[in-house]
Amino acid sequence: MPSVQGSSVAGRQRGLPAVIPTPQPLGAALLGRLRRDAFAFASLLFILALIALCIFGPEAYKELAPRELQQYHTYNFQDFKNINTGPGSVYQDATGTVYHWLGADALGRDTLARLLLGLRVSFLVAAFVQVINIGLGAGLGLLAGTFGGWIDMVVSRIADMLFAFPGLLLAILVSAIFGPGAQAAAGDVGRLLLVSAALALVSWPLMARYVRSQTLTLKERDFVLAARSMGVGEGGLMFYHLLPNVAGLIITAATLDIASVILNEAVLSLLGLGVQSPTSSLGLMITLAIPYLRNNAFQVFVPAATLTLLVLAFSFLGDGLRDALDPNSR
Amino acid sequence: MLPIITKRLTSLVFVLFSLTFITFMVGHLAPGDPIQFMLGGRYDPARYQQLRHSYGLDQPLFLQYWSYVTGLLHGDLGKSFQFAGRPVVEILAPGIAVSLQLGVAALIVSTLVGVPAGVAAALNHNRLSDRAIMFVMLALFSIPSFVLIPILRALNFMLYDRGLPSLPVAQWGTPEQAVLPVFVLAAASAGYVARLTRSSMLEVLSQDYIRTAYSKGLPARIVNVRHALRNALLPVVTVLGPSTAFLVTGAFVVETIFSIPGVGYISVQSIGQRDYPVIQATTLLLGFAVVLTNLVTDLLYSVLDPRIRVA
């Protein structure tokens, strides 16, 4: 895939003059090209803003309420005066006034607080899954592609076995069977880790397959032959020559995978397999609000719109990265 | 043809082995002792041993796997924990018929919507109508079903409020009850089919024989239908496999939200009751369905397109 980029990176690393001059390091060049793609760059900014929001948002939102009423801006406090309300509903008592910016759900819990926590859950799951996906999927794919032989055999067979399960089935099976145990052992964190592991089980075989086939193609290239002739061993070849050249593919595949992971996490929540109430997640918010659609459609559309935008942003960013890394694909 | 069938059947055996093996191992590793769970407060060592024996849990692991697989071959999917001793087949059987109706209906609808949309878009390549059709199809493809469902239901409520006919949003059986779930389930694969049909049609339209057909003086309608569409539809057949996979995951969501008593719904109910054998059986059943569809698709494709057989 990264044809032009490939030779220049390999050239620079060995201190040789680059075949095609690349004045900037790969990251800066990538950002430069990404900036020209309006959709992708906007998505990147949007995602960064949401990440900042999910890190600082819940506490900041709490601070925005009067000191005595801060609990009204938390995800699990029930305000019985505001059951199923729309945006801007008010709670008032002797100590002060507090606004539910996006209203409250059927149990009187503040929607914005729950949305911010739900975003946090989505990003955490996405991050965990990508750690496993890149560590296990890309790592094994690279090993299989570089060394071949029995490693390739074992990795490919295991990936094939997991491919036998269509879509989310395996994740549903695993989180259904181990979910209650994980919840009992480590609470919400246990659930979160289990959901991530279950989703990673679906993601990594594809990543391994991508990286393996890309590595196999790269191994036929001249720069690998050149490195070999300079006495670079297989391990060095893998880390210093092949890895930098598949890095772009790994980043692109991981970004696109995040879109489906966020969606799949919501599906698991919907089936009652994700994090459990009172903790919030985007999928859970939709499920809990659907029965009240008629009275308060707003409570469904806030998480649904957030989820859709999040998924679209990661898809656009992934597509943008793919184009930025490979100008020929356009 | 024969070598292809042999090759496909060999890989089928491997895939089926993977499905059963992983499902079995996940069930085996499940935390907690199902028999103890079943007995609850009425624990009695003799009864415990008897039940353990009756569920075959006192045998070595590989023997358990063997009897699991031979059981499957005899149509025995194990016994439910929730309804002690009741075979899983008995619990799932009514759901299979329902899910099959839902799935087949969605498959037909997605083809009937997707193929004409794709053809129309390709024939109007790069015009406004092409853009519009592809935008709608992309939206159908990428809007998650549980976002689409509230939108449709809200629209439905609006119809109801204006005194117009509205659709039922739960249960299964009458044609009206099928409209919304089938639409939601078909949406994603309709978008997928449309995109594939469009690109396949565009490729065929740029071929030399299309120009030849025009230069013979054939009218555009005949060229488009007889020469282009016929050939363009070939790759669309392959969509059957991925579509079925979409439908399977979609079925869990759609059946749960619309309370349709299909396999997905039964499975989600069993998740709540920790009825592992039912969950395992659902996974296997749906996995088999997809694997078999993939096999049929591949064979169908090599029958329809003889060039594939050489490769």
Side-chain angles (χ1 to χ4, degrees):
Chain A
M1 192 177 72
S3 46
V4 180
Q5 207 69 31
S7 47
S8 61
V9 168
R12 200 176 55 238
Q13 258 155 8
R14 275 175 284 113
L16 299 173
V19 182
I20 289 142
T22 27
Q24 306 154 290
L26 182 66
L30 196 61
L31 206 64
R33 277 199 219 130
L34 203 59
R35 197 175 271 166
R36 264 173 260 156
D37 185 344
F39 259 143
F41 196 66
S43 301
L44 180 65
L45 294 181
F46 179 67
I47 290 166
L48 290 178
L50 282 187
I51 290 176
L53 206 57
C54 85
I55 294 173
F56 304 111
E59 279 68 33
Y61 184 53
K62 209 171 139 189
E63 288 304 319
L64 285 169
R67 187 150 295 278
E68 293 77 22
L69 298 174
Q70 281 191 351
Q71 61 204 26
Y72 284 83
H73 276 189
T74 55
Y75 71 95
N76 58 356
F77 181 80
Q78 289 179 270
D79 174 3
F80 292 108
K81 292 235 171 75
N82 282 296
I83 297 284
N84 243 335
T85 52
S89 61
V90 188
Y91 175 84
Q92 206 163 17
D93 64 10
T95 52
T97 311
V98 64
Y99 293 91
H100 294 291
W101 290 15
L102 293 180
D105 71 3
L107 297 172
R109 300 177 297 196
D110 188 275
T111 302
L112 183 55
R114 293 185 64 72
L115 190 75
L116 292 170
L117 188 72
L119 270 179
R120 199 180 261 189
V121 167
S122 289
F123 275 114
L124 272 179
V125 168
F128 281 142
V129 172
Q130 291 325 312
V131 167
I132 304 176
N133 195 19
I134 293 175
L136 196 69
L140 288 179
L142 193 60
L143 278 175
T146 312
F147 292 99
W150 66 267
I151 300 180
D152 186 17
M153 179 75 187
V154 171
V155 171
S156 298
R157 283 303 104 170
I158 294 177
D160 284 348
M161 274 178 99
L162 294 176
F163 264 121
F165 290 85
L168 261 187
L169 266 191
L170 187 58
I172 292 175
L173 179 72
V174 168
S175 40
I177 289 190
F178 299 107
Q183 182 91 34
D188 279 333
V189 180
R191 244 329 155 148
L192 212 68
L193 287 176
L194 180 78
V195 167
S196 313
L199 291 173
L201 219 50
V202 179
S203 297
W204 83 259
L206 193 63
M207 176 67 100
R209 198 175 263 192
Y210 282 154
V211 173
R212 174 181 170 274
S213 70
Q214 176 79 2
T215 312
L216 285 178
T217 322
L218 283 172
K219 265 174 78 180
E220 302 301 316
R221 295 269 295 273
D222 286 345
F223 75 87
V224 171
L225 192 68
R228 280 232 174 84
S229 69
M230 288 176 70
V232 178
E234 291 294 294
L237 193 69
M238 185 172 85
F239 277 112
Y240 298 111
H241 300 273
L242 295 174
L243 182 59
N245 282 292
V246 289
L249 172 76
I250 295 174
I251 295 169
T252 310
T255 309
L256 287 171
D257 188 57
I258 289 178
S260 53
V261 164
I262 288 176
L263 212 54
N264 288 342
E265 188 273 328
V267 171
L268 288 184
S269 287
L270 189 89
L271 301 178
L273 294 170
V275 293
Q276 306 289 305
S277 195
T279 306
S280 160
S281 103
L282 296 177
L284 202 58
M285 286 179 77
I286 298 176
T287 324
L288 294 179
I290 278 186
Y292 308 101
L293 186 69
R294 186 146 174 66
N295 316 325
N296 199 353
F298 190 74
Q299 299 298 335
V300 178
F301 287 112
V302 167
T306 312
L307 190 68
T308 313
L309 284 178
L310 201 55
V311 170
L312 280 180
F314 275 106
S315 307
F316 281 137
L317 181 62
D319 286 343
L321 281 174
R322 186 170 46 204
D323 291 344
L325 283 163
D326 183 13
N328 302 326
S329 78
R330 254 172 289 179
Chain B
M1 199 62 207
L2 197 65
I4 292 180
I5 297 181
T6 340
K7 206 178 142 205
R8 288 290 317 181
L9 284 181
T10 329
S11 79
L12 182 72
V13 170
F14 174 76
V15 169
L16 292 185
F17 164 77
S18 318
L19 271 174
T20 53
F21 181 71
I22 293 179
T23 314
F24 172 78
M25 283 315 289
V26 169
H28 179 77
L29 294 172
D33 186 335
I35 308 292
Q36 205 146 20
F37 180 70
M38 202 186 290
L39 284 171
R42 295 163 293 148
Y43 182 76
D44 160 36
R47 182 89 186 107
Y48 178 79
Q49 286 307 329
Q50 191 195 346
L51 269 174
R52 233 171 103 81
H53 184 71
S54 112
Y55 276 86
L57 294 174
D58 52 349
Q59 286 173 327
L61 195 58
F62 69 93
L63 268 184
Q64 283 188 37
Y65 177 63
W66 179 248
S67 54
Y68 178 66
V69 172
T70 45
L72 289 178
L73 291 175
H74 291 95
D76 175 12
L77 291 166
K79 287 183 223 162
S80 161
F81 288 164
Q82 185 190 352
F83 309 101
R86 215 174 136 201
V88 173
V89 178
E90 218 173 88
I91 298 172
L92 283 179
I96 295 174
V98 172
S99 287
L100 215 56
Q101 288 171 8
L102 181 62
V104 170
L107 206 57
I108 292 173
V109 169
S110 63
T111 316
L112 287 184
V113 172
V115 171
V119 171
L123 292 181
N124 295 298
H125 185 43
N126 275 344
R127 274 185 231 152
L128 188 64
S129 51
D130 175 24
R131 298 270 158 78
I133 291 172
M134 285 337 279
F135 180 78
V136 172
M137 287 300 151
L138 181 69
L140 285 183
F141 177 70
S142 47
I143 294 179
S145 56
F146 46 89
V147 175
L148 192 59
I149 291 168
I151 295 176
L152 288 176
R153 280 177 65 168
L155 288 175
N156 203 25
F157 280 136
M158 275 160 61
L159 289 179
Y160 180 80
D161 288 342
R162 306 238 150 84
L164 296 165
S166 61
L167 293 159
V169 290
Q171 293 298 319
W172 184 254
T174 64
E176 302 91 71
Q177 285 169 345
V179 176
L180 285 180
V182 168
F183 179 83
V184 172
L185 204 50
S189 51
Y192 190 67
V193 170
R195 292 205 297 180
L196 199 76
T197 310
R198 177 176 175 270
S199 59
S200 158
M201 190 77 181
L202 282 178
E203 199 189 316
V204 171
L205 284 175
S206 68
Q207 298 279 322
D208 287 342
Y209 63 80
I210 298 294
R211 205 173 7 158
T212 311
Y214 274 116
S215 61
K216 280 198 303 186
L218 288 179
R221 194 173 52 82
I222 304 241
V223 178
N224 286 338
V225 175
R226 279 207 204 139
H227 295 75
L229 184 60
R230 257 198 196 180
N231 287 298
L233 278 185
L234 276 180
V236 177
V237 172
T238 52
V239 100
L240 209 61
S243 280
T244 321
F246 275 143
L247 295 181
V248 162
T249 313
F252 276 94
V253 177
V254 169
E255 288 179 7
T256 306
I257 295 189
F258 286 102
S259 309
I260 296 166
V263 175
Y265 181 77
I266 296 173
S267 174
V268 172
Q269 297 297 310
S270 322
I271 289 169
Q273 303 294 327
R274 303 203 197 175
D275 198 346
Y276 302 150
V278 176
I279 305 168
Q280 278 174 295
T282 319
T283 310
L284 269 184
L285 208 64
L286 295 175
F288 278 0
V290 174
V291 169
L292 288 180
T293 330
N294 279 334
L295 178 74
V296 170
T297 311
D298 279 9
L299 293 182
L300 199 63
Y301 195 47
S302 61
V303 169
L304 292 176
D305 189 350
R307 285 171 303 179
I308 302 295
R309 279 178 235 168
V310 188

